[in-house]
Amino acid sequence: MTERKKITLKAHTGTETPAGRDKPHRQPVRGAGSAPRARLTAAQAEQQRAERPTHPNEGKPRSSRPDDHRPAARPRRDQAPSHPGTLRPPRDARPPAPSRQDAPVTAEPRSPRPPVTPREEDGRVRLSKLMSERGLASRREADEWIEQGWVRVDGKVVDELGTRIFPEQDISIDPLARTQQAERVTILLNKPIGYVSGQAEDGYEPAVTLIRPENQWNGDRSKRKFARHHLRHLAPAGRLDIDSTGLLVLTQDGRIAKALIGEDSLVEKEYLVRVQYQAQPEADNVSAIFPEADLERLRHGLELDGHRLKPTKVSWQNEHQLRFVLREGRKRQIRRMCELVGLKVTGLKRVRMGRIALGDLPMGQWRFLRTDERF
């Protein structure tokens, strides 16, 4: 039989050197506070409780204890606070979140705005408009002068566009503005047939294309020579149909344009109109057969576009030609007036505007308005 040996295991004390090791074994070094706590016996625990000092709230109901100095209970994971100091209720105790459709839409209250007083109520008007009404300048000229600092209101310079003032305030203009205004030209043209007054249309050239050095009338007594800047902002003051001839005024001066074609213009325009009586087209003497009552209607009593026309001076110039003098200029006014009384216009020529007559100015030529001439 094989002899069995009895092996006895002994606890290692750490003082002996285990077999196979040259150095003694070291116990692991524990950090501060990591030493194992000694288990207390029941008697030792009872003795510690007896020696603990009594708390002032010991024995009182929990609801009556002051919680000013009591630490807040540590929330569970499902009760994590949304921000410090606030406990979130349990997930199953929260009300369901409203959907976007069920959620009421509440507009944030806005602070009330102060009441705005309409500008018309304070009695002030735009400075440029007041200057135009007083005849000091056109609206465009007024804006230019204000930007240049040439306008004073009650002695103070006003250089901001859109400024509003009271109608009774005093307005003065710097002499430099008057000098610049004097340099603006006005041109008198004898317009031929086939040219339009304003911008080009239907392939027809505007009358301003005739303002060239070679077309300046030799009888021009203004002693002014043509320059390219004279064409800048040169605009017609009153239209003349493509089939009409005669005096056409083109100007850079807004005051002249307003005086000639403004709504409250009192400047007379004189025309010579050749007509044909529709009832008797072959008549040699239209003036002899045309009814006097219809002539009176031409003078006063007609309406165009629902508007009653102002009184007009109408008289016979010869057997086929009428002389019209009127103070308004609606589109194709004379031609439409004649149609209402059975007349057909075969020729129309403007011979005067205010005190300025066409005179001997040849067809297709032009001249400057002299400084001593006024409309």
Side-chain angles (χ1 to χ4, degrees), residues 141 144-145 148 150 175-184:
E141 288 174 336
E144 291 177 0
W145 294 357
Q148 295 291 336
W150 292 339
L176 288 175
R178 299 299 186 190
T179 303
Q180 185 197 54
Q181 190 177 55
E183 294 177 354
R184 303 191 179 204

Side-chain angles (χ1 to χ4, degrees), residues 45 127 163 177 183 195 240 267 292 310 315 353:
L127 175 57
T163 300
E183 294 177 354
Y195 289 86
L240 204 56
V267 177
E292 187 65 25
K310 296 179 181 179
S315 60
M353 295 186 72

Side-chain angles (χ1 to χ4, degrees), residues 3 5 28 48 61 63-64 79-80 91 123 125 133 144 165 172 177 187 193 215 227 235 258 267 304:
E3 183 181 358
K5 293 183 180 181
Q48 286 186 0
S63 60
S64 63
Q79 296 179 348
R91 190 176 299 276
V125 296
E133 292 176 352
E144 291 177 0
I165 67 171
S172 58
I187 292 176
I193 293 176
N215 291 339
K258 184 176 183 296
V267 177
L304 290 178

